[in-house]
Amino acid sequence: MNGADVDTGGGAGGTGVAVIADGHDRGGSPGRGPGRGRHGAGGRGRLMAGLRRRLVKRRIRIRRTRGRRLRRALVVLLALLANLVGAAVVAYHLTKIPEPHPETAMQSTVFVDDHGDYLGRRGPVDRQEIPLSQVPRYVQEAVIAAENRSFRTDTGISPRAIARAAWATVSGGDRQGGSTITQQYVKNALLSPEQTLSRKAREALISIKLDRTRSKDEILQGYLNTVYFGRGAAGIQSAARNYFGVDAKDLTVSQGAALASVINIPSYYEKAGSDPKVTAKLVDRWEWVLDAMAHSGAITSAQRAGARFPAFRFYPPGDTDGQRQYLIDAAASEAADRLGITEDQLARGGYTVRTTFDLTAQDATAELAADGTEKKTGEKAAEEKAADAKAGGKKRAEVKTTGDVRVHTAVVALVPGDGAVRVLYGGADYASQPFNDARDGAVEAGTALQPFSGMKLLAPLTDLTRTAAPTPLRLASAYATAAAHGVYATPYTVAKITRAGRTLYEAHPRTRTAMTRADAGMVAKLLYGRLDAAPATRTGAAGLRTLWQTTYDEHLTLTVALFAEHPAKGKKAALPAPLPYTAGSRSLSVSEGVWSKIVGTAEGHDPAAEPNPGLPTGQTKPILATR
């Protein structure tokens, strides 16, 4: 029966049985006979062979089409790159180099004395532009060594630094630096400082364009005039003054390397010189900068070996108001007038105003005026009381006063026949009294004008003798006219005005005859008894209220005026008060001290051996000092 069943499947039904058997073979049923197991293994073999054939065919197709696919990918990549380059080219051409920020364009005006010593500044930003030619080459190289050693050869950007900064922005990491000098200039002077990809991309485009359209020297000049150095100083010129008290052109190799080192962290390094820890850290960076300069050939090995870390000015500085602001007020007003601009325009214009003042004598005047307030005792006090009694007709010590008394001292020193004002002491503290007693104060003249009585005075002294209360500056000008044999010189405080190395104004004495030579000689004779004696001294007073003392020769006229008042309280105005008996010693001390500070004191001369009726007691004979 079994055989019959199989045979029956040999026909049409057999075909079905064969299909069924094939199905069993694919199913791999282990319950069937060993013949069917062999058929199952053969099926799997055929399957694997088919897979291998398909893989081989696929590899062949891949090999045959590899070139075509690579060409397609390359075309896509090139198209993408072309689009990027095209976009960059379009962006480059559309990018315009912006104008500097308004605050970057602002500058301050610096005032210096007759010797070039720093007096003070006016303006919203402590910055002054100077041409690169006024920055020593080794200072330029120090900045390059500290900030961007490839500056002379790069294209204005550092791709590595840009990528690092971009990754830090995307990843939220710490902000990255390392920008080129060109990029720093663009960021500080032309763009806002925010850290965004768009701003960074624009910075790069502008830097590249700036590098292609400007010379390296132009870029470096802009950078040095705007970079912040700490201590409130923007730019190399202000930094040189604030750290070392010199102009940029006078910086040494060591000073230049120190300033270049400060740029890295100015708010930290600005304390160098007063903070030992900060100073030590800056010294390390300074050494690193100098080593780089020596390696590049910017300085010689001898210069490197001889370099010593420079002394910094103390920081933070003290109060700058004091009485120097009286000088700046006077000079600023005159400078603005000479240039035909407002004082505000002057302050923002970046000018250097060289004044006629002698800062050493001015500071000495301030000290002497302050010391003069101390009361004297013993024999000296008795002598002063007697002198005051003779001058005022009554001993000042006998005058009873009520309430506080404030003694004002005004001092003017100027050059006869020229008009240059050397000292203009208008008060002890500008912050508490901005009014300048020396230039604007009306002080009762009394007997101080007697030598000019009955003279025919010409302009501008015409009404001098009819002036009850002249300013100390005007009275000093009158005596200076006598010292110059009748030639009046208009007082001036501004000798020269420059900007970016260019002279805009230079003073010349403005003189005219205001009294005859004979009248000038008469004043001299009244003051010191004979025409060939010098210097002449005149003491005058208005009762007990004021005290004047003027000393002059042909080189200098010095006037000291003292007056006292009861200070204003509430709605009660200030009232005149009698001077204390120490006023005489105060006047004499200031006069002697300032005179000797300006013109010097001759050695080996005994005042007793060379009588001079007008010479203050105890004063030696002055001579003109050699500058």
Side-chain angles (χ1 to χ4, degrees):
M1 292 297 295
N2 291 341
D5 291 337
V6 170
D7 290 340
T8 301
T15 303
V17 172
V19 170
I20 293 172
D22 184 66
H24 281 293
D25 287 343
R26 293 178 186 276
S29 172
R32 314 305 284 263
R36 290 180 180 177
R38 286 193 299 272
H39 285 306
R44 284 194 296 273
R46 288 193 296 274
L47 178 62
M48 294 302 296
L51 289 173
R52 282 194 295 271
R53 285 194 298 271
R54 285 195 293 272
L55 289 173
V56 169
K57 290 179 180 179
R58 180 174 295 177
R59 290 193 188 100
I60 293 173
R61 283 198 304 271
I62 290 173
R63 282 196 296 269
R64 289 175 178 174
T65 62
R66 179 183 298 169
R68 184 167 64 252
R69 286 185 290 105
L70 286 176
R71 286 192 295 273
R72 288 177 180 174
L74 184 59
V75 168
V76 172
L77 182 61
L78 290 175
L80 178 62
L81 184 60
N83 286 333
L84 291 175
V85 172
V89 170
V90 171
Y92 174 83
H93 286 290
L94 292 177
T95 297
K96 294 182 179 180
I97 299 176
E99 292 295 322
H101 298 310
E103 59 269 24
T104 303
M106 290 180 184
Q107 303 182 61
S108 63
T109 287
V110 169
F111 297 82
V112 298
D113 80 344
D114 184 52
H115 302 282
D117 293 330
Y118 181 74
L119 180 61
R121 73 174 182 89
R122 286 281 171 85
V125 179
D126 190 0
R127 188 180 78 86
Q128 280 192 302
E129 286 191 4
I130 58 173
L132 192 64
S133 59
Q134 291 187 18
V135 182
R137 181 74 179 194
Y138 49 76
V139 176
Q140 300 175 34
E141 295 301 327
V143 172
I144 291 172
E147 293 297 303
N148 178 199
R149 296 180 183 180
S150 65
F151 171 71
R152 300 286 186 190
T153 56
D154 64 34
T155 60
I157 64 170
S158 171
R160 181 180 298 178
I162 293 175
R164 187 170 59 244
W167 173 250
T169 302
V170 172
S171 63
D174 294 334
R175 293 179 179 179
Q176 299 293 316
S179 298
T180 65
I181 282 177
T182 306
Q183 286 177 274
Q184 290 184 55
Y185 172 64
V186 169
K187 178 180 67 176
N188 295 334
L190 309 180
L191 295 177
S192 56
E194 74 264 19
Q195 296 289 326
T196 62
L197 287 176
S198 60
R199 207 277 304 154
K200 198 70 179 176
R202 190 171 179 225
E203 174 191 302
L205 287 171
I206 294 174
S207 298
I208 294 172
K209 196 161 193 175
L210 198 67
D211 189 78
R212 290 175 62 86
T213 57
R214 308 277 177 86
S215 69
K216 290 291 187 180
D217 280 353
E218 287 180 285
I219 296 171
L220 185 59
Q221 175 177 295
Y223 176 76
L224 289 175
N225 277 324
T226 55
V227 66
Y228 184 62
F229 284 88
R231 296 196 176 190
I236 189 71
Q237 175 73 348
S238 295
R241 282 214 177 99
N242 289 5
Y243 281 90
F244 302 112
V246 300
D247 288 327
K249 62 183 177 62
D250 298 320
L251 287 168
T252 65
V253 171
S254 293
Q255 291 171 337
L259 288 181
S261 303
V262 165
I263 297 174
N264 179 244
I265 320 175
S267 60
Y268 177 77
Y269 288 131
E270 67 182 2
K271 301 179 184 66
S274 59
D275 186 320
K277 182 179 178 181
V278 174
T279 303
K281 190 170 181 178
L282 183 61
V283 169
D284 290 341
R285 184 167 175 81
W286 173 78
E287 295 270 7
W288 174 74
V289 170
L290 285 175
D291 288 342
M293 293 175 69
H295 184 265
S296 68
I299 58 175
T300 65
S301 56
Q303 286 176 308
R304 175 65 188 93
R308 298 293 181 270
F309 191 74
F312 279 34
R313 297 178 68 186
F314 183 77
Y315 184 83
D319 184 11
T320 58
D321 282 338
Q323 55 84 31
R324 291 191 183 188
Q325 292 300 323
Y326 294 113
L327 309 183
I328 296 176
D329 269 359
S333 175
E334 185 176 325
D337 183 64
R338 295 290 178 265
L339 295 175
I341 59 178
T342 66
E343 288 191 45
D344 184 63
Q345 290 172 320
L346 177 78
R348 298 169 181 268
Y351 302 95
T352 296
V353 178
R354 192 182 191 95
T355 69
T356 60
F357 303 121
D358 184 326
L359 191 53
T360 301
Q362 184 76 26
D363 290 342
T365 303
E367 294 178 7
L368 291 164
D371 292 342
T373 60
E374 299 177 1
K375 292 184 178 181
K376 310 295 180 181
T377 59
E379 184 179 348
K380 185 65 176 176
E383 291 177 359
E384 291 166 358
K385 289 180 182 181
D388 285 340
K390 183 178 179 181
K394 188 177 181 181
K395 290 187 178 180
R396 299 180 190 276
E398 295 175 357
V399 178
K400 294 182 179 180
T401 60
T402 58
D404 297 332
V405 174
R406 180 181 180 185
V407 178
H408 293 252
T409 302
V411 183
V412 176
L414 49 80
V415 179
D418 181 274
V421 179
R422 298 297 184 216
V423 172
L424 189 68
Y425 180 84
D429 187 6
Y430 183 90
S432 60
Q433 180 199 302
F435 184 81
N436 190 325
D437 286 329
R439 186 180 67 162
D440 305 312
V443 183
E444 194 174 1
T447 60
L449 290 176
Q450 279 184 351
F452 301 100
S453 299
M455 291 184 181
K456 184 179 180 181
L457 300 176
L458 305 177
L461 300 179
T462 307
D463 61 345
L464 178 65
T465 55
R466 298 191 298 273
T467 304
T471 66
L473 180 59
R474 190 175 188 208
L475 188 135
S477 298
Y479 279 100
T481 302
H485 311 292
V487 176
Y488 175 88
T490 303
Y492 65 96
T493 63
V494 175
K496 190 176 183 180
I497 304 174
T498 60
R499 186 182 187 187
R502 187 165 61 95
T503 299
L504 303 178
Y505 169 80
E506 193 161 6
H508 299 284
R510 292 182 293 170
T511 61
R512 61 183 302 173
T513 300
M515 68 176 67
T516 66
R517 191 178 184 90
D519 283 343
M522 184 60 66
V523 173
K525 187 175 182 180
L526 288 171
L527 263 61
Y528 48 64
R530 69 179 195 270
L531 297 179
D532 59 347
T537 296
R538 171 68 185 183
T539 300
L544 302 177
R545 300 178 299 277
T546 66
L547 181 64
W548 294 84
Q549 183 165 304
T550 298
T551 302
Y552 76 78
D553 64 10
E554 62 181 0
H555 303 297
L556 183 72
T557 296
L558 174 65
T559 294
V560 179
L562 280 78
F563 65 96
E565 68 176 7
H566 295 294
K569 289 185 178 180
K571 295 182 179 180
K572 188 177 180 181
L575 297 173
L579 288 165
Y581 72 85
T582 55
S585 63
R586 181 174 188 172
S587 176
L588 183 63
S589 174
V590 173
S591 181
E592 288 181 347
V594 177
W595 184 277
S596 62
K597 182 65 69 173
I598 297 178
V599 302
T601 301
E603 297 180 0
H605 288 276
D606 183 0
E610 299 182 22
N612 191 331
L615 201 63
T617 304
Q619 181 175 319
T620 56
K621 183 179 179 181
I623 60 171
L624 184 65
T626 302
R627 288 183 178 270

